[in-house]
Coordinates of all heavy atoms in Angstrom, one line a residue:
D1 N 0.8 -1.2 0.0 CA 0.0 0.0 0.0 C 0.8 1.3 0.0 O 0.4 2.4 -0.5 CB -0.9 0.0 1.2 CG -1.7 -1.2 1.4 OD1 -1.0 -2.3 1.7 OD2 -2.9 -1.1 1.6
Y2 N 2.1 1.2 0.6 CA 2.9 2.4 0.8 C 3.9 2.5 -0.3 O 4.8 3.5 -0.2 CB 3.5 2.4 2.1 CG 2.4 2.3 3.3 CD1 2.3 1.2 3.9 CD2 1.6 3.3 3.5 CE1 1.3 1.0 4.9 CE2 0.5 3.2 4.5 CZ 0.5 2.1 5.2 OH -0.6 1.9 6.1
Y3 N 4.0 1.7 -1.3 CA 5.0 1.7 -2.3 C 4.5 1.6 -3.7 O 3.7 0.9 -4.1 CB 6.0 0.4 -2.0 CG 6.8 0.7 -0.8 CD1 6.3 0.2 0.5 CD2 8.1 1.1 -0.8 CE1 7.1 0.4 1.6 CE2 8.9 1.3 0.4 CZ 8.3 0.9 1.6 OH 9.0 1.0 2.7
S4 N 5.2 2.5 -4.4 CA 4.9 2.3 -5.9 C 5.9 1.3 -6.4 O 7.0 1.1 -5.9 CB 5.1 3.7 -6.6 OG 4.3 4.7 -6.1
I5 N 5.4 0.7 -7.5 CA 6.2 -0.5 -8.1 C 6.5 -0.1 -9.6 O 5.6 0.3 -10.3 CB 5.5 -1.8 -8.0 CG1 5.2 -2.2 -6.5 CG2 6.2 -2.9 -8.8 CD1 6.4 -2.5 -5.8
G6 N 7.8 -0.3 -9.9 CA 8.2 -0.1 -11.2 C 8.5 -1.5 -12.0 O 8.9 -2.4 -11.2
W7 N 8.3 -1.5 -13.2 CA 8.7 -2.7 -14.0 C 9.8 -2.3 -15.0 O 9.7 -1.2 -15.5 CB 7.5 -3.3 -14.8 CG 6.6 -4.2 -14.1 CD1 5.4 -3.8 -13.4 CD2 6.7 -5.5 -13.8 NE1 4.8 -4.9 -12.9 CE2 5.7 -6.0 -13.0 CE3 7.8 -6.5 -14.1 CZ2 5.5 -7.3 -12.7 CZ3 7.7 -7.8 -13.6 CH2 6.5 -8.2 -12.9
F8 N 10.8 -3.1 -15.0 CA 12.0 -2.7 -15.8 C 12.4 -4.0 -16.7 O 12.0 -5.1 -16.4 CB 13.2 -2.4 -14.9 CG 12.8 -1.3 -13.9 CD1 12.2 -1.7 -12.7 CD2 13.0 0.0 -14.2 CE1 11.8 -0.6 -11.8 CE2 12.6 1.0 -13.3 CZ 12.0 0.7 -12.1
R9 N 13.2 -3.8 -17.7 CA 13.7 -4.9 -18.4 C 15.1 -4.5 -18.9 O 15.5 -3.4 -19.0 CB 12.8 -5.2 -19.6 CG 12.7 -4.1 -20.7 CD 11.8 -4.5 -21.8 NE 11.8 -3.5 -22.8 CZ 10.9 -3.5 -23.9 NH1 9.9 -4.4 -23.9 NH2 10.9 -2.5 -24.8
Q10 N 15.8 -5.7 -19.0 CA 17.2 -5.5 -19.6 C 17.4 -6.7 -20.6 O 17.4 -7.8 -20.2 CB 18.2 -5.7 -18.4 CG 19.6 -5.4 -18.8 CD 20.5 -5.2 -17.6 OE1 20.2 -5.5 -16.5 NE2 21.7 -4.6 -17.9
G11 N 17.6 -6.2 -21.9 CA 17.8 -7.1 -22.8 C 19.3 -7.3 -23.0 O 20.2 -6.7 -22.4
P12 N 19.7 -8.4 -23.8 CA 21.2 -8.7 -24.1 C 21.9 -7.5 -24.5 O 21.6 -7.0 -25.5 CB 21.1 -9.8 -25.1 CG 19.7 -10.3 -25.0 CD 18.7 -9.2 -24.6
G13 N 22.9 -7.2 -23.8 CA 23.8 -6.2 -24.2 C 23.2 -4.7 -24.0 O 23.7 -3.7 -24.6
K14 N 22.1 -4.6 -23.4 CA 21.4 -3.3 -23.2 C 21.4 -2.9 -21.7 O 21.6 -3.7 -20.8 CB 20.0 -3.3 -23.7 CG 19.9 -3.7 -25.2 CD 18.5 -3.7 -25.7 CE 18.4 -4.0 -27.2 NZ 16.9 -4.1 -27.5
E15 N 21.2 -1.7 -21.4 CA 21.0 -1.1 -20.1 C 19.7 -1.5 -19.6 O 18.6 -1.6 -20.4 CB 21.2 0.3 -20.1 CG 22.7 0.8 -20.4 CD 22.9 2.2 -20.1 OE1 22.0 3.0 -19.8 OE2 24.1 2.6 -20.2
R16 N 19.5 -1.4 -18.3 CA 18.1 -1.7 -17.7 C 17.2 -0.5 -18.1 O 17.7 0.7 -17.9 CB 18.2 -1.9 -16.3 CG 17.0 -2.3 -15.6 CD 17.2 -2.7 -14.2 NE 18.0 -3.9 -14.1 CZ 18.2 -4.5 -13.0 NH1 17.9 -4.1 -11.9 NH2 19.1 -5.7 -12.9
E17 N 16.0 -0.6 -18.6 CA 15.2 0.4 -18.8 C 13.8 0.3 -18.1 O 13.4 -0.8 -17.9 CB 14.9 0.5 -20.4 CG 14.2 -0.6 -21.0 CD 13.8 -0.5 -22.4 OE1 13.7 0.7 -22.8 OE2 13.5 -1.5 -23.0
G18 N 13.2 1.4 -17.8 CA 11.9 1.3 -17.2 C 10.8 1.2 -18.3 O 10.9 1.8 -19.3
V19 N 9.8 0.3 -18.0 CA 8.7 0.1 -18.9 C 7.5 0.5 -18.4 O 6.6 1.0 -19.2 CB 8.7 -1.3 -19.5 CG1 9.9 -1.7 -20.3 CG2 8.4 -2.4 -18.3
S20 N 7.2 0.5 -17.1 CA 6.0 0.8 -16.6 C 6.1 1.0 -15.1 O 7.1 0.5 -14.4 CB 5.0 -0.3 -16.8 OG 3.7 0.1 -16.3
C21 N 5.1 1.8 -14.5 CA 5.1 1.9 -13.0 C 3.7 2.1 -12.6 O 2.8 2.5 -13.4 CB 6.0 3.0 -12.5 SG 5.6 4.7 -13.0
N22 N 3.4 1.8 -11.4 CA 2.0 1.9 -10.8 C 2.3 2.6 -9.5 O 2.9 2.1 -8.6 CB 1.5 0.5 -10.6 CG 0.1 0.5 -10.0 OD1 -0.1 0.8 -8.9 ND2 -0.9 0.2 -10.9
S23 N 1.6 3.7 -9.3 CA 1.6 4.5 -8.1 C 0.8 4.0 -7.0 O -0.4 3.7 -7.2 CB 1.3 5.9 -8.4 OG 1.3 6.7 -7.3
A24 N 1.3 3.9 -5.8 CA 0.6 3.5 -4.6 C -0.4 4.7 -4.2 O -1.3 4.5 -3.5 CB 1.4 3.1 -3.5
R25 N 0.0 5.9 -4.7 CA -0.9 7.1 -4.2 C -2.3 7.0 -4.7 O -3.3 7.2 -4.0 CB -0.2 8.3 -4.7 CG -0.9 9.6 -4.3 CD -0.1 10.8 -4.5 NE 1.0 11.0 -3.7 CZ 2.4 10.9 -4.1 NH1 2.6 10.7 -5.3 NH2 3.3 11.1 -3.2
D26 N -2.4 6.7 -6.1 CA -3.7 6.6 -6.7 C -3.8 5.6 -7.8 O -4.8 5.7 -8.5 CB -4.0 8.0 -7.3 CG -3.0 8.4 -8.3 OD1 -2.0 7.7 -8.5 OD2 -3.0 9.6 -8.7
S27 N -2.9 4.7 -7.7 CA -2.9 3.5 -8.8 C -2.8 4.1 -10.2 O -3.1 3.4 -11.2 CB -4.1 2.7 -8.7 OG -4.2 1.9 -7.5
S28 N -2.3 5.3 -10.3 CA -2.0 5.8 -11.7 C -0.9 5.1 -12.3 O 0.0 4.5 -11.5 CB -1.7 7.4 -11.6 OG -0.5 7.7 -10.8
T29 N -0.7 5.1 -13.6 CA 0.3 4.3 -14.2 C 1.0 5.1 -15.3 O 0.6 6.2 -15.7 CB -0.4 3.1 -14.9 OG1 -1.4 3.7 -15.9 CG2 -1.1 2.1 -13.9
R30 N 2.2 4.7 -15.6 CA 3.0 5.3 -16.7 C 3.6 4.2 -17.4 O 3.8 3.1 -17.0 CB 4.1 6.1 -16.0 CG 3.8 7.4 -15.4 CD 5.0 8.1 -15.0 NE 5.8 8.7 -16.1 CZ 6.9 9.3 -15.9 NH1 7.5 9.4 -14.8 NH2 7.5 9.8 -17.0
Y31 N 3.9 4.5 -18.7 CA 4.4 3.5 -19.6 C 5.5 4.2 -20.5 O 5.3 5.3 -20.9 CB 3.4 2.9 -20.6 CG 2.2 2.2 -19.8 CD1 1.1 2.9 -19.4 CD2 2.4 0.9 -19.4 CE1 0.1 2.2 -18.7 CE2 1.4 0.2 -18.7 CZ 0.3 0.9 -18.3 OH -0.7 0.3 -17.6
A32 N 6.5 3.5 -20.8 CA 7.5 3.9 -21.8 C 6.8 3.9 -23.2 O 5.9 3.1 -23.5 CB 8.7 2.9 -21.9
D33 N 7.2 4.8 -24.0 CA 6.6 4.9 -25.3 C 6.6 3.7 -26.1 O 5.7 3.4 -26.8 CB 7.3 6.0 -26.2 CG 7.0 7.4 -25.6 OD1 6.0 7.6 -24.9 OD2 7.8 8.4 -25.9
S34 N 7.7 2.9 -25.9 CA 7.8 1.6 -26.7 C 6.8 0.5 -26.3 O 6.7 -0.4 -27.1 CB 9.3 1.1 -26.5 OG 9.5 0.8 -25.1
V35 N 6.1 0.7 -25.2 CA 5.2 -0.4 -24.8 C 3.7 0.1 -24.7 O 2.9 -0.7 -24.4 CB 5.7 -0.9 -23.5 CG1 7.1 -1.4 -23.6 CG2 5.5 0.0 -22.3
K36 N 3.6 1.5 -24.9 CA 2.2 2.0 -24.7 C 1.2 1.3 -25.6 O 1.6 0.9 -26.8 CB 2.2 3.5 -25.1 CG 2.7 4.3 -23.9 CD 2.6 5.8 -24.3 CE 3.2 6.7 -23.2 NZ 3.2 8.1 -23.5
G37 N 0.1 0.9 -25.0 CA -1.0 0.2 -25.8 C -0.8 -1.3 -25.8 O -1.7 -2.1 -26.2
R38 N 0.4 -1.8 -25.3 CA 0.6 -3.2 -25.3 C 0.8 -3.8 -23.8 O 0.6 -5.0 -23.6 CB 1.8 -3.7 -26.1 CG 1.7 -3.3 -27.6 CD 2.8 -3.8 -28.4 NE 4.0 -3.3 -28.0 CZ 5.1 -4.1 -27.5 NH1 4.9 -5.5 -27.3 NH2 6.2 -3.6 -27.1
F39 N 1.3 -2.9 -23.0 CA 1.5 -3.3 -21.6 C 0.5 -2.6 -20.7 O 0.2 -1.5 -20.9 CB 2.9 -2.8 -21.1 CG 4.1 -3.6 -21.7 CD1 4.1 -4.3 -22.9 CD2 5.3 -3.7 -21.0 CE1 5.1 -4.9 -23.5 CE2 6.3 -4.4 -21.5 CZ 6.3 -5.0 -22.8
T40 N 0.1 -3.4 -19.8 CA -0.9 -2.9 -18.7 C -0.4 -3.3 -17.3 O -0.3 -4.6 -17.1 CB -2.3 -3.4 -18.9 OG1 -2.8 -3.0 -20.3 CG2 -3.3 -2.7 -18.0
V41 N -0.2 -2.3 -16.4 CA 0.2 -2.6 -15.1 C -1.0 -2.4 -14.1 O -1.7 -1.5 -14.3 CB 1.4 -1.8 -14.6 CG1 1.1 -0.3 -14.7 CG2 2.0 -2.2 -13.3
S42 N -1.0 -3.3 -13.2 CA -2.2 -3.3 -12.2 C -1.6 -3.8 -10.8 O -0.6 -4.5 -10.8 CB -3.4 -4.0 -12.6 OG -3.1 -5.4 -12.8
R43 N -2.4 -3.5 -9.8 CA -1.9 -4.0 -8.5 C -3.1 -4.6 -7.7 O -4.3 -4.2 -7.9 CB -1.2 -2.9 -7.6 CG -2.2 -1.7 -7.3 CD -1.5 -0.9 -6.2 NE -0.3 -0.4 -6.6 CZ 0.8 -0.2 -5.7 NH1 0.6 -0.5 -4.3 NH2 1.9 0.2 -6.0
D44 N -2.8 -5.5 -6.9 CA -3.8 -6.1 -6.0 C -3.1 -6.1 -4.5 O -2.4 -6.9 -4.1 CB -4.1 -7.6 -6.3 CG -5.3 -8.1 -5.4 OD1 -5.4 -7.6 -4.3 OD2 -5.9 -9.0 -5.9

């Protein structure tokens, strides 16, 4: 309840990048442009 969670990925030979996050404040979400429309983050 008190923590926002981020999702990240790291491909071969690449730096770790953020793809999505879900805020504990209001469950609002953010997405990297490369995954918008295909990734959906949610929390229980």
